[in-house]
Amino acid sequence: MAGGEGAASGGGWRQTLVRLMERHRGLIVVLFCLPASFLFDVAFRLRAWVRRELLAAPNKHHQRVAEIQARVLRWNKLPPSERKLMCTDRPNWLSLSTTFFRKDLCHRIPVPLYDILSLNESQMTVKVEPMVSVGQITEFLIPQGYTLAVTLEIADATLGGLAMGVGMTTYSHKVGLYQEAIRAYEVVLGDGSLVRVTRDNEHSDLYHTLPWSHGTLGFLVALELDIVKVKPYVHMKYIPVTGQKKYCDMIRDLSGANDKDKQAADYLEATVYSKEKAVIMVGNFADLPPGQEHKVNHITRWYKPWFYKHTESFLQRGEGDEYIPLREYLLRHNRAIFWVVEAMIPFGNNPLFRFFLGWLLPPKPAFLKFTTTPGVRAMTFTKQVFQDIVLPMNILEKQIDVSEELFDTYPILVYPCRIYDHGEHAGQLRPPRPDQRCPGADWGMFNDLGVYGVPGPVRRKQRYDAVKQMRAMEKFCREVGGYPFLYADIFMDRKEFEQMFDLTAYERVREKYHANGAFPHLYDKVKPEIDVFAVGEEYIDPL
Ligand SMILES: Cc1cc2nc3c(=O)[nH]c(=O)nc-3n(C[C@H](O)[C@H](O)[C@H](O)COP(=O)(O)OP(=O)(O)OC[C@H]3O[C@@H](n4cnc5c(N)ncnc54)[C@H](O)[C@@H]3O)c2cc1C
Ligand SMILES: *[C@@H]1O[C@H](CO)[C@@H](O)[C@H](O)[C@H]1NC(C)=O
């Protein structure tokens, strides 16, 4: 409370301004933020185009990697007192993470690796440099009849970022996390050596600890990823369901959570609109059957309703189906960033707005981060929630209840994902517990619980202690064996972090592969750069 009062008397004008901006937020975003973000995006696309069309030089990959190695070797020759921990020089605002890791305190090594290197159709893999984006790879693969086994719905995410963090998608009930679809990593270690890392070569310990390591074990310089054969369309069925147990049972059943031999659909997802109502989406690769042209829906066009609103309409309309071009399916959540944009532009899904200005969306996450002031940064966790959490699906009902109790915001995103057992202390994730396993399988079905939005108390202008609620969520995770994605803010201390993640192998690998003293520790890399406890206190009271 004291913090709140201090802020009120010390920064009265600031609070008034913030209140005004909050009230007219949508307008401010549309008048200033969107056009600026759009120009920013144009400049960015131009840069990406130049890089792809004029500067692309996959044949120079080895030279670029050698340059990175040379820089790391030069760092090794510095006197110990001058050796700051290393990180890539990719600016923070380009990353999709909500935190702002202090790269300025590190020794930054340029990693200019933007090229797709090769497609191997007999092996069903594609080899890429780490800064290749989801947008870029889908544009490359889909016309050739493939897609990545695991991708993400956000065009700007990078394939390297997903590998060093975590990636999960609506195909993951068949293949697991993004890391399961990685055939090989190429990594420059802290001593400047280059290693190729696979599941069963001599560096398999590194193979299992690179995911969820966030660049704290080495510099990723190439990736070989599994691809899958696709068809031009996704045949989507929308199933509205009333009753919590009913929709939870249905999605568990459809995913094969309890039946390892089940032929599950290609894509599976649910959007939960309230405790008792959800729409389950079942998608399968398809060719367009003759005479079905009227059922094609170009969902990503600027004038179309936001995807989660379109989905919601089936609660009234009843079950329905349609054909969505594959790339549009994969990027279905891009325009409204799931449902994050609604909090910024409350009238953004209005048909008139969509028709005239819909093409301005989405605001670029990079632009939003680039222009983030300390006040805005504080609001990203005190007045909003951004969490993706991997949780065991056998307690899906409980997850929804806990989320409602702590955050009181809908919709909630749910899609299933296998978590594989790679043995005790193999990587940062622990093997699924016995009650979480699919009978007879070496995996258990988990799911992503995506909670993005403005918590109920904040909407109602009531007191809201974000840190307390978030810590309660983390405690729940630790108890049930779940893991929040580390792109989002965490509120754990180091001890709690080590209870959640198993760092046994990670610490061993850091020692063995020269990461100690060369790269920050995982906890230090992902913890928020600001004192969330102090900031949280200051923003507890409603404006
Ligand atoms: C609203 C929202 C919803 C989301 N939903 C999902 C979801 O459903 N599923 C999902 O999988 N993800 C989701 N994400 C997040 C996404 O997983 C991460 O942001 C992801 O890590 C990719 O981001 P990036 O490319 O910006 O990576 P970065 O943030 O740039 O990188 C991730 C980490 O890897 C490190 N790194 C990157 N490149 C290298 C390199 N070459 N060498 C060494 N280290 C490196 C970085 O330092 C960083 O710690 C969501 C994000 C948002 C904002
Ligand atoms: C694909 O991989 C196989 C097995 O490693 C290899 O023999 C073949 O040459 C590769 N093909 C291409 C086009 O790289």
Side-chain angles (χ1 to χ4, degrees):
M1 275 309 276
E5 280 160 24
S9 56
W13 63 270
R14 193 191 72 184
Q15 293 235 342
T16 311
L17 187 67
V18 170
R19 203 175 302 136
L20 250 169
M21 286 178 64
E22 280 233 307
R23 198 166 303 146
H24 302 288
R25 187 158 183 191
L27 206 61
I28 291 173
V29 171
V30 171
L31 289 181
F32 301 103
C33 198
L34 277 189
S37 157
F38 182 76
L39 291 178
F40 186 88
D41 189 30
V42 169
F44 237 78
R45 278 171 197 261
L46 198 67
R47 201 177 88 155
W49 183 86
V50 167
R51 214 149 48 201
R52 196 171 61 235
E53 302 297 328
L54 309 178
L55 304 178
N59 53 328
K60 296 224 177 88
H61 173 69
H62 296 292
Q63 249 162 282
R64 291 190 290 257
V65 172
E67 175 59 28
I68 294 167
Q69 289 182 272
R71 284 178 193 271
V72 175
L73 282 173
R74 282 204 290 280
W75 175 89
N76 271 278
K77 299 223 172 73
L78 292 172
S81 61
E82 285 174 33
R83 271 186 237 155
K84 290 188 283 184
L85 299 176
M86 289 183 284
C87 69
T88 71
D89 79 338
R90 182 169 193 241
N92 234 309
W93 48 269
L94 270 178
S95 140
L96 287 174
S97 152
T98 59
T99 56
F100 288 77
F101 177 69
R102 292 289 304 272
K103 292 205 164 186
D104 55 314
L105 302 179
C106 288
H107 182 96
R108 281 171 283 188
I109 303 272
V111 183
L113 302 172
Y114 299 93
D115 286 342
I116 298 170
L117 297 174
S118 60
L119 176 68
N120 190 326
E121 291 171 282
S122 62
Q123 263 201 326
M124 289 293 280
T125 58
V126 63
K127 184 167 179 180
V128 296
E129 292 187 327
M131 303 288 202
V132 170
S133 68
V134 167
Q136 206 180 334
I137 197 75
T138 48
E139 248 166 53
F140 172 79
L141 287 176
I142 291 176
Q144 312 195 55
Y146 302 108
T147 188
L148 292 180
V150 183
T151 63
L152 180 63
E153 287 78 357
I154 304 180
D156 288 331
T158 63
L159 301 187
L162 288 167
M164 298 289 92
V166 60
M168 195 167 160
T169 187
T170 49
Y171 193 77
S172 289
H173 61 291
K174 297 181 89 144
V175 295
L177 294 170
Y178 184 84
Q179 66 208 57
E180 306 290 348
I182 298 179
R183 214 59 84 79
Y185 302 86
E186 283 175 24
V187 182
V188 171
L189 300 174
D191 65 350
S193 58
L194 173 68
V195 289
R196 182 167 187 279
V197 177
T198 68
R199 199 182 282 262
D200 32 42
N201 75 359
E202 70 270 32
H203 304 304
S204 67
D205 47 357
L206 201 46
Y207 181 88
H208 291 292
T209 46
L210 278 170
W212 301 83
S213 74
H214 287 262
T216 62
L217 296 176
F219 293 110
L220 180 68
V221 295
L223 273 173
E224 287 163 46
L225 298 163
D226 287 341
I227 54 175
V228 293
K229 273 219 167 65
V230 296
K231 294 192 175 152
Y233 290 88
V234 170
H235 182 213
M236 269 288 253
K237 207 157 105 189
Y238 301 85
I239 311 171
V241 188
T242 301
Q244 193 191 42
K245 178 146 178 12
K246 202 165 152 207
Y247 69 71
C248 291
D249 278 341
M250 186 184 280
I251 191 163
R252 273 190 294 259
D253 183 43
L254 286 167
S255 71
N258 299 310
D259 174 7
K260 71 179 170 57
D261 300 317
K262 177 165 179 100
Q263 286 295 314
D266 292 315
Y267 292 115
L268 196 53
E269 174 181 9
T271 305
V272 180
Y273 291 93
S274 68
K275 194 179 230 169
E276 302 297 336
K277 282 192 192 301
V279 176
I280 295 181
M281 285 158 270
V282 182
N284 280 294
F285 295 127
D287 292 306
L288 188 62
Q292 294 291 301
E293 288 75 13
H294 64 286
K295 278 200 165 176
V296 172
N297 189 357
H298 291 277
I299 52 170
T300 58
R301 294 209 176 142
W302 80 95
Y303 55 85
K304 290 280 183 169
W306 288 346
F307 184 67
Y308 73 99
K309 291 288 185 191
H310 171 58
T311 305
E312 188 176 21
S313 70
F314 291 92
L315 285 171
Q316 269 79 51
R317 287 198 263 168
E319 198 168 312
D321 74 312
E322 64 192 9
Y323 290 85
I324 304 174
L326 178 62
R327 186 161 192 273
E328 299 200 37
Y329 170 80
L330 293 176
L331 296 177
R332 67 199 176 284
H333 287 304
N334 194 56
R335 198 156 35 105
I337 319 185
F338 296 92
W339 30 90
V340 172
V341 173
E342 189 185 308
M344 297 179 212
I345 313 172
F347 46 83
N349 193 47
N350 179 296
L352 280 175
F353 178 85
R354 287 198 318 256
F355 188 78
F356 289 106
L357 293 172
W359 47 274
L360 283 168
L361 294 178
K364 282 292 255 196
F367 173 80
L368 298 178
K369 282 191 79 176
F370 188 65
T371 52
T372 292
T373 59
V376 175
R377 170 67 177 105
M379 280 178 51
T380 58
F381 75 89
T382 55
K383 303 291 175 202
Q384 289 168 58
V385 47
F386 276 103
Q387 290 287 327
D388 279 284
I389 314 178
V390 188
L391 288 160
M393 209 172 191
N394 60 340
I395 53 160
L396 184 54
E397 291 88 341
K398 177 95 189 161
Q399 300 174 26
I400 309 256
D401 292 348
V402 169
S403 169
E404 177 172 301
E405 185 193 318
L406 295 175
F407 307 120
D408 185 15
T409 180
Y410 288 96
I412 293 174
L413 173 75
V414 170
Y415 57 83
C417 172
R418 287 182 187 180
I419 296 292
Y420 281 88
D421 177 0
H422 293 294
E424 274 308 315
H425 310 308
Q428 283 81 309
L429 301 196
R430 300 165 198 278
R433 298 173 187 176
D435 63 311
Q436 300 166 348
R437 277 171 187 262
C438 175
D442 60 345
W443 49 264
M445 196 62 82
F446 282 54
N447 64 280
D448 178 31
L449 185 78
V451 190
Y452 330 114
V454 179
V458 176
R459 282 197 312 272
R460 296 187 292 268
K461 310 240 178 285
Q462 294 161 347
R463 202 162 186 280
Y464 177 69
D465 187 341
V467 174
K468 180 166 159 242
Q469 303 303 80
M470 276 308 310
R471 283 183 52 79
M473 189 56 165
E474 290 173 346
K475 182 159 177 283
F476 171 68
C477 283
R478 286 194 299 275
E479 283 163 6
V480 302
Y483 314 90
F485 286 28
L486 298 174
Y487 80 84
D489 287 318
I490 59 167
F491 302 82
M492 294 170 262
D493 62 29
R494 189 161 176 150
K495 212 169 123 235
E496 292 162 335
F497 186 79
E498 291 181 5
Q499 280 164 8
M500 181 178 285
F501 292 95
D502 183 355
L503 298 188
T504 317
Y506 172 82
E507 300 290 0
R508 203 166 48 222
V509 162
R510 267 177 77 79
E511 187 60 40
K512 177 170 161 195
Y513 292 97
H514 319 285
N516 280 332
F519 300 102
H521 187 276
L522 178 58
Y523 177 74
D524 296 321
K525 182 83 188 271
V526 298
K527 74 173 186 224
E529 79 291 355
I530 48 175
D531 180 348
V532 286
F533 292 94
V535 176
E537 272 289 306
E538 193 182 331
Y539 284 81
I540 279 181
D541 289 309
L543 284 171

